[in-house]
Amino acid sequence: MLVRSLRIALLAAPLLAQAQTLNMSRDLVANGIASSNLIPDTPALDARPLVEAAVTYAVQKHIPLVTADAGEYYFLTLRNSSTHVLLTSATNVTIDWQNSDLLFHASNASGVQCSNCSGVVMQNFTVDYQQLPFTQVTVTSVNPSAQTFDFAPIPGFQTPSDFNANRAADGSDAIWMFIFRNGVPIREAGRLGAKRPVTGNTIAISDVNDPWARAAQLANIQPGDIVVFTDRSGPPALNFVNGQDNTVRNASIYSSGQIGLYFGRTNGATADHVQVIPKPGTARLISTNADGIHTSFALGPNVFTNNIVRRTCDDALAISAPWTATVNSVNATTVAVARSFAAPFPPGASVSFINPDTDAVAGTATIVSETPAFDQQKLTDGESVTLTLDRAVSGLAANFGMTDADAAKLGSGSVIANNTVQDGVFARGIWLAGVQGVSVHDNYVQRTSSNGIFIQQLSGNNTDAGPSSAIDIRNNLVDSALSYANVSHGVTFAAASIYAVSQNSANAEVTSSPHHNITVTDNRITNSARSAIRLENLNTGAISGNTIQGFGLAPNVNVFTAPACCETLAQYQTDFAQAVLTPSSVAISTSGNSTGDTHTLVVNASTASGYPRLGTGSFAAAYGAGFATTTVIATPPFPQTLNGVTVTVRDSAGTSRAAAIQAVTPGQVNYLVPDGTAAGIATVTIGSSSGSAQIDAVGPGLYSESGDGTGVAAATAALYGADGSVAAQAVFRCTGGSACVTAPLDLGKAGDQLVVTLYGTGIRNNTGIENATALVGGSRAKLLYAGAQPQYPGLDQVNIVIPRSLAGAGEVPVVLTIDGQTANAVTINIK
């Protein structure tokens, strides 16, 4: 009876409410977690130990949400030699920074590493480094024969000699340089290695035999060009290793010594509304020193959606599944291997073996047992393990590669969709290697130095990967691939806007067909320097319904290093002048592809920013030729036919809508993206011309007085006095035919508020002002409104209060971010 009574009493007792949120800025001291709360905007306060302690406490207490007050947070110390914040085995917790800026002290080290995490969500934050992993200098003179150039430092940037000592804990520092002119990498000189130490004001090139680094190429560098000097080394800025179901959402990464966001051996990795871009409002010319967002040892499914990646120094978006091991010796069913990286392959795993000379799969087997036992292995790169297989693999020999055979460990179910990729400095747009069951659709890939979408099998040089299969590439726009910067690669790495190939250890294409079932359907490929589509080494696939507008535009430019086995450079150049090729492939169906003239191409962009992502209901500009013979501008309500021109928008769901038109000129049509247009890549048709546009709910852009989205803001301002008075102020002034300049804005007296109204488009469908931020001169400005301007269709406005701390700041950039997308920066002037 006593036991029964106790049970009844316990059931009847009131339950203590479990805390659902831990606010790091307010709750750490009260809960005994730390001696200080995480106070924002405190440069001397080290956020690292406080964040680690808070997340550990939340996981132990099963608190699902960890937050921080919005502001800047400074991570001043390292947890270990290569990591600032280390989160280990965190589970089922969301870390919401509420639109804060995370500033990490040491370059070439991870900002946050999450090891063996499960169900972790990190959202609403930016990442940057106080000590950047790159610098920029101005060329003053060039000595092509000596392969050197002299430079002058740029105020606010480090000097190259600051990189003489290694910064990465593992000593992997590799110094690479890129040459920019007027903000764009020059095409003549490619990625250049730099000798260290740098002394004085002279930089010497290290990889002097690279064909893109010879005297003839270097002679194209001019005084006034900008050299971006990078230290490519260390771990990723955000580094998820092992674990499952981890997500990064609404985040912006502005720099990294290596990859921006990385998932390694992580099941169910998601990157959604992540930006990897140069810090807005700065003069930086690159974002990350390597990839933007990358998953390796892919597992699956991986979901990369709604991300924006610009100006990376390697692949923008990548999913790969490298070799797990290399064979050392074979004796029937006993196979000795050396582990690749730290890849696990426990007993019971199904594995495939790949011939490195032919790239063909020699056979598949199941691991029965291992020596040493799996639980005694160190799981380190190069570790020797002896496997006993359930069957002998015919022809298996030393140097063969071993990969997982289970599609669930090769990225099966992964999706790369609705992403924007632009301006790859030394980059492919989307890279897949050794994966199965991946869908790539509705992406906008524009201006890459190498291929726009690349499926690659490699053997050797620590980039090993098996063949890929069941890849669906559908309804993407790939524009101006292989034409931004210098390819800086041999021909077998850069052959087409959409390209699949298998390469052996000598980087030569094989003659077998190890890839299987790849479809390239309903894509638009425009302005391709080389071939539009090249599916090589493929068994079974389809190339159908693709629209090709411009191919082989520069087949002889930057064509380097043909492998000795195969075609000559001249033969490759002949290949590059063709639209579609399928060498060493079998069972490829080709139908319904069109190769239109570039004169019929329509290029779509925001009328405010020039960016390609267009919000529904926003103003878009269609650029082309021969739309009309005269210019006509309409007044609201805008008609659907103007000057004899109509605009039809067919969205990714297949629905066509007529667009309202604001203006028609011979080379430009301004229209409103119809409400209800589905997200994804849409087709815009004007007469006999057509092009693709990327549609989203929002696509924020701010108007400038120059009309090109740069310089002084097209804005109004008013000073609201503490006494109730309202006085308008001019944001800019224009005289004669000269460009408009900023006009100094007066903050008034204490208690007054200066409100600036910025005008833009693509803003109105945002999810709420709480999901928007405005930075003025790097300081947070209070947002009063972000939505439609009520008098004019398609026009939006943003009202912000200018912080009084900016008094005397002069010209400053205004940076607006809406729902994870950052608009073009415009300028105002604070007296």
Side-chain angles (χ1 to χ4, degrees):
M1 286 295 293
L2 179 60
V3 171
R4 184 168 180 271
S5 298
L6 283 172
R7 286 176 178 168
I8 292 172
L10 288 171
L11 288 172
L15 295 175
L16 295 175
Q18 172 64 55
Q20 295 298 300
T21 302
L22 176 69
N23 184 300
M24 293 184 286
S25 301
R26 309 176 196 177
D27 300 338
L28 300 188
V29 174
N31 287 280
I33 299 169
S35 59
S36 170
N37 288 321
L38 184 62
I39 308 301
D41 306 317
T42 310
L45 179 64
D46 186 7
R48 180 195 61 76
L50 303 180
V51 172
E52 290 177 339
V55 174
T56 299
Y57 179 90
V59 171
Q60 291 173 344
K61 300 294 184 180
H62 305 290
I63 299 173
L65 178 62
V66 175
T67 67
D69 292 347
E72 291 186 342
Y73 293 97
Y74 299 83
F75 296 80
L76 306 179
T77 59
L78 294 172
R79 180 69 164 80
N80 56 44
S81 61
S82 61
T83 304
H84 289 85
V85 175
L86 179 61
L87 306 177
T88 303
S89 301
T91 58
N92 302 322
V93 63
T94 294
I95 306 169
D96 187 344
W97 287 97
Q98 302 192 110
N99 300 313
S100 293
D101 301 315
L102 313 185
L103 300 170
F104 297 95
H105 172 68
S107 71
N108 304 90
S110 275
V112 179
Q113 177 170 318
C114 205
S115 297
N116 300 302
C117 295
S118 176
V120 170
V121 178
M122 293 183 62
Q123 62 187 27
N124 301 324
F125 62 99
T126 72
V127 168
D128 202 7
Y129 286 82
Q130 293 177 293
Q131 179 193 49
L132 290 177
F134 68 92
T135 192
Q136 297 176 190
V137 297
T138 302
V139 174
T140 57
S141 64
V142 184
N143 187 333
S145 59
Q147 294 179 295
T148 65
F149 53 81
D150 291 342
F151 66 89
I154 296 176
F157 287 94
Q158 302 162 83
T159 65
S161 60
D162 290 341
F163 293 81
N164 284 343
N166 285 344
R167 295 186 174 188
D170 60 2
S172 61
D173 303 67
I175 305 298
W176 298 106
M177 299 179 294
F178 305 93
I179 313 299
F180 284 77
R181 182 176 303 148
N182 299 322
V184 178
I186 67 172
R187 295 198 66 186
E188 294 84 2
R191 185 175 78 160
L192 305 173
K195 289 182 179 178
R196 292 189 297 171
V198 176
T199 58
N201 65 339
T202 300
I203 297 176
I205 292 167
S206 60
D207 296 341
V208 294
N209 293 319
D210 284 341
W212 47 86
R214 293 173 183 163
Q217 277 65 47
L218 299 180
N220 292 284
I221 301 174
Q222 300 174 3
D225 289 346
I226 303 298
V227 178
V228 176
F229 187 98
T230 74
D231 183 345
R232 176 173 168 155
S233 63
L238 298 180
N239 192 18
F240 286 78
V241 182
N242 300 318
Q244 61 183 15
D245 300 327
N246 297 311
T247 297
V248 177
R249 180 186 298 121
N250 288 347
S252 296
I253 301 169
Y254 298 142
S255 61
S256 174
Q258 258 281 357
I259 296 168
L261 170 58
Y262 176 76
F263 298 100
R265 292 184 292 277
T266 300
N267 271 307
T270 296
D272 181 67
H273 285 91
V274 174
Q275 294 186 124
V276 181
I277 59 176
K279 186 175 182 179
T282 71
R284 299 184 197 177
L285 292 170
I286 66 167
S287 54
T288 56
N289 290 2
D291 301 8
I293 304 172
H294 189 132
T295 290
S296 66
F297 295 102
L299 303 182
N302 305 279
V303 178
F304 295 172
T305 49
N306 306 303
N307 305 298
I308 298 173
V309 182
R310 292 192 179 102
R311 292 183 176 256
T312 57
C313 295
D314 213 326
D315 305 316
L317 303 167
I319 301 178
S320 63
W323 287 2
T324 55
T326 301
V327 173
N328 285 335
S329 63
V330 180
N331 183 4
T333 59
T334 301
V335 179
V337 302
R339 190 185 310 279
S340 294
F341 306 102
F345 35 86
S350 179
V351 294
S352 295
F353 294 93
I354 299 168
N355 186 323
D357 295 321
T358 66
D359 282 349
V361 176
T364 299
T366 299
I367 300 174
V368 176
S369 62
E370 302 180 357
T371 303
F374 184 72
D375 60 2
Q376 297 176 1
Q377 294 172 21
K378 297 179 180 179
L379 298 183
T380 55
D381 184 34
E383 182 180 17
S384 296
V385 181
T386 300
L387 312 176
T388 299
L389 307 178
D390 68 337
R391 71 194 74 176
V393 175
S394 178
L396 185 61
N399 296 321
F400 276 43
M402 186 177 84
T403 66
D404 286 305
D406 182 357
K409 296 181 179 180
L410 299 173
S412 179
S414 295
V415 175
I416 300 176
N418 299 309
N419 302 288
T420 304
V421 172
Q422 289 183 299
D423 302 345
V425 176
F426 173 73
R428 300 163 289 207
I430 297 171
W431 182 60
L432 304 176
V435 295
Q436 298 183 17
V438 178
S439 174
V440 179
H441 68 85
D442 290 285
N443 300 286
Y444 193 111
V445 180
Q446 185 178 54
R447 296 188 298 269
T448 51
S449 67
S450 190
N451 315 294
I453 301 174
F454 192 18
I455 303 169
Q456 186 178 29
Q457 179 181 3
L458 291 165
S459 294
N461 301 322
N462 292 322
T463 52
D464 318 312
S468 294
S469 64
I471 310 298
D472 182 31
I473 300 173
R474 184 182 302 271
N475 199 41
N476 303 280
L477 172 70
V478 181
D479 175 60
S480 300
L482 298 149
S483 59
Y484 189 78
N486 185 294
V487 173
S488 303
H489 266 315
V491 290
T492 58
F493 285 80
S497 290
I498 299 177
Y499 181 31
V501 69
S502 295
Q503 297 163 257
N504 61 24
S505 56
N507 289 332
E509 310 105 305
V510 298
T511 56
S512 60
S513 306
H515 293 305
H516 184 75
N517 189 22
I518 297 173
T519 59
V520 179
T521 308
D522 298 331
N523 303 280
R524 187 182 298 267
I525 300 103
T526 58
N527 299 314
S528 183
R530 298 181 181 174
S531 299
I533 302 170
R534 179 170 174 143
L535 299 189
E536 199 162 352
N537 310 115
L538 173 61
N539 185 336
T540 308
I543 304 171
S544 63
N546 300 286
T547 301
I548 300 168
Q549 293 171 283
F551 63 90
L553 300 182
N556 306 326
V557 175
N558 294 332
V559 180
F560 307 118
T561 320
C565 66
C566 309
E567 300 180 15
T568 65
L569 280 177
Q571 289 171 321
Y572 278 108
Q573 290 167 338
T574 300
D575 287 349
F576 296 161
Q578 300 180 56
V580 177
L581 299 94
T582 58
S584 300
S585 293
V586 296
I588 309 298
S589 64
T590 304
S591 64
N593 303 293
S594 66
T595 53
D597 193 319
T598 55
H599 290 95
T600 65
L601 174 63
V602 173
V603 177
N604 298 275
S606 165
T607 58
S609 65
Y611 293 168
R613 194 174 282 253
L614 306 176
T616 54
S618 71
F619 273 119
Y623 300 97
F627 293 139
T629 58
T630 59
T631 295
V632 176
I633 300 174
T635 57
F638 300 130
Q640 292 181 346
T641 300
L642 181 66
N643 203 15
V645 171
T646 60
V647 178
T648 302
V649 179
R650 182 178 183 272
D651 66 18
S652 60
T655 300
S656 294
R657 297 176 177 87
I661 304 174
Q662 184 263 340
V664 172
T665 75
Q668 180 176 339
V669 176
N670 292 351
Y671 64 94
L672 291 176
V673 178
D675 290 334
T677 303
I681 299 296
T683 298
V684 177
T685 302
I686 304 175
S688 60
S689 298
S690 68
S692 293
Q694 187 169 45
I695 309 299
D696 201 350
V698 298
L702 296 175
Y703 288 107
S704 68
E705 281 302 309
S706 65
D708 64 3
T710 64
V712 57
T716 58
L719 185 66
Y720 291 80
D723 58 3
S725 61
V726 180
Q729 295 192 33
V731 176
F732 55 88
R733 61 175 180 266
C734 307
T735 57
S738 62
C740 299
V741 297
T742 57
L745 296 169
D746 191 345
L747 288 164
K749 303 184 296 293
D752 296 348
Q753 280 194 338
L754 176 63
V755 177
V756 171
T757 298
L758 304 157
Y759 295 97
T761 195
I763 295 168
R764 63 185 57 200
N765 295 315
N766 65 80
T767 57
I769 201 167
E770 66 276 9
N771 295 321
T773 60
L775 297 178
V776 181
S779 297
R780 292 174 180 273
K782 182 180 180 181
L783 272 164
L784 301 177
Y785 177 78
Q789 196 277 345
Q791 284 81 36
Y792 203 83
L795 185 64
D796 297 329
Q797 71 180 58
V798 177
N799 300 341
I800 60 175
V801 179
I802 305 302
R804 297 195 64 81
S805 60
L806 290 174
E811 285 199 347
V812 290
V814 179
V815 177
L816 174 71
T817 300
I818 303 279
D819 288 339
Q821 295 185 46
T822 299
N824 54 301
V826 292
T827 304
I828 63 174
N829 193 326
I830 310 299
K831 185 187 297 184

